[in-house]
């Protein structure tokens, strides 16, 4: 075979191989491009202040529970009439989409902002409605408020429109994104979409 032909075949082979590799490599997104998925990244990851809360199973929920995998965390409560069930449902659908693709999903966490009414059994039943793998977290009001401050989240009681409900809880409506080192790296803003969240998680995990 003539040398010129060999060179052409090698170049063609490299080009085809490059296309094949490109097809299987995950896309890399900049922080600006991830904004299209509703994600806002901090310029630098933010450390979370030391904390000790309780999971819905009665176990200790401390800093180690936020390490070694990505976590998507929402501050809400079981009696919430709108944004909480919508958000948790979307997170559940996103986790299911990833699992169906054979991928390890994120850790979904609901931190109650209504520990007075969200007893551990009720909280466990609520989060497992959306995914059996999701974690419910509770604690004293003071401990939860301190934890929420690390994520720039807030909450407070407010009179309910329906007097029979007694009160409701106003709270931050963002999803906090926590990296495998347990740091708060950004937030996902509403409106939430399961496909976008699954894509965002994959993009962050592949970095």
């Amino acid at each position: 075979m003539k040398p010129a032909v060999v060179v052409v075949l090698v170049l063609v082979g490299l080009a085809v191989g490059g296309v094949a590799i490109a097809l299987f490599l995950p896309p890399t997104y900049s922080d600006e491009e991830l904004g299209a998925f509703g994600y806002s990244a901090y310029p630098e990851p933010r450390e979370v202040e030391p904390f000790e809360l309780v999971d819905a199973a009665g176990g200790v929920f401390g800093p180690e529970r936020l390490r070694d995998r990505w976590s998507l965390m929402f501050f809400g409560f079981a009696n919430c009439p709108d944004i909480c069930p919508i958000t948790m449902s979307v997170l559940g659908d996103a986790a299911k989409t990833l699992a169906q693709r054979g991928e390890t999903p994120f850790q979904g966490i609901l931190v109650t902002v209504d520990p007075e009414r969200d007893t551990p059994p009720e909280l466990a039943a609520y989060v497992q409605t959306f995914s059996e793998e999701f974690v419910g977290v509770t604690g004293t009001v003071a401990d939860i408020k301190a934890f929420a401050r690390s994520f720039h989240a807030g909450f407070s009681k407010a009179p309910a429109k329906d007097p029979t409900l007694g009160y409701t809880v106003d709270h931050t409506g963002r999803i906090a994104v926590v990296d495998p080192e347990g740091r708060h790296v950004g937030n996902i803003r509403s409106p939430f979409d399961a496909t976008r969240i699954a894509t965002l998680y994959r993009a962050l995990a592949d970095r």
Side-chain angles (χ1 to χ4, degrees):
M1 187 176 292
K2 295 181 179 181
V5 175
V6 173
V7 171
V8 170
L9 290 175
V10 170
L11 291 174
V12 170
L14 289 173
V16 172
V19 170
I21 292 172
L23 289 174
F24 288 98
L25 285 175
T28 300
Y29 297 93
S30 67
D31 286 342
E32 291 73 19
E33 290 170 327
L34 289 178
F37 300 104
Y39 179 63
S40 298
Y42 293 126
E44 296 293 336
R46 300 185 176 185
E47 299 294 335
V48 177
E49 293 295 321
F51 64 91
E52 184 173 309
L53 300 172
V54 182
D55 66 25
V60 174
F61 187 89
E64 70 283 351
R65 298 286 293 272
L66 295 180
R67 298 196 182 107
D68 300 324
R69 65 187 297 188
W70 286 86
S71 299
L72 299 185
M73 181 187 303
F74 189 72
F75 290 84
F77 63 112
N79 286 318
C80 177
D82 38 47
I83 189 171
C84 302
I86 291 172
T87 302
M88 296 306 296
S89 179
V90 169
L91 286 175
D93 288 344
K96 185 183 300 181
T97 295
L98 291 162
Q100 289 172 344
R101 294 176 185 169
E103 302 180 53
T104 301
F106 52 84
Q107 176 177 222
I109 302 172
L110 174 69
V111 181
T112 182
V113 295
D114 188 15
E116 296 175 48
R117 293 185 296 194
D118 286 348
T119 64
E122 290 172 340
L123 187 60
Y126 183 73
V127 295
Q128 289 175 7
T129 299
F130 308 103
S131 170
E132 293 183 357
E133 304 301 320
F134 282 3
V135 180
V137 176
T138 186
T140 66
V141 173
D143 285 345
I144 294 172
K145 279 186 177 290
F147 183 63
R149 282 195 294 272
S150 283
F151 294 91
H152 301 277
F155 61 93
S156 61
K157 283 185 178 181
K161 293 181 180 179
D162 181 350
T164 62
L165 297 178
Y167 67 88
T168 186
V169 184
D170 293 333
H171 58 91
T172 303
R174 301 184 303 271
I175 297 170
V177 180
V178 185
D179 73 4
E181 294 183 42
R183 303 173 302 180
H184 185 199
V185 295
N187 300 289
I188 306 172
R189 62 183 178 275
S190 62
F192 303 122
D193 176 85
T195 300
R196 288 193 300 171
I197 287 176
T199 304
L200 169 64
Y201 160 73
R202 187 69 269 162
L204 291 172
D206 286 335
R207 283 183 161 185

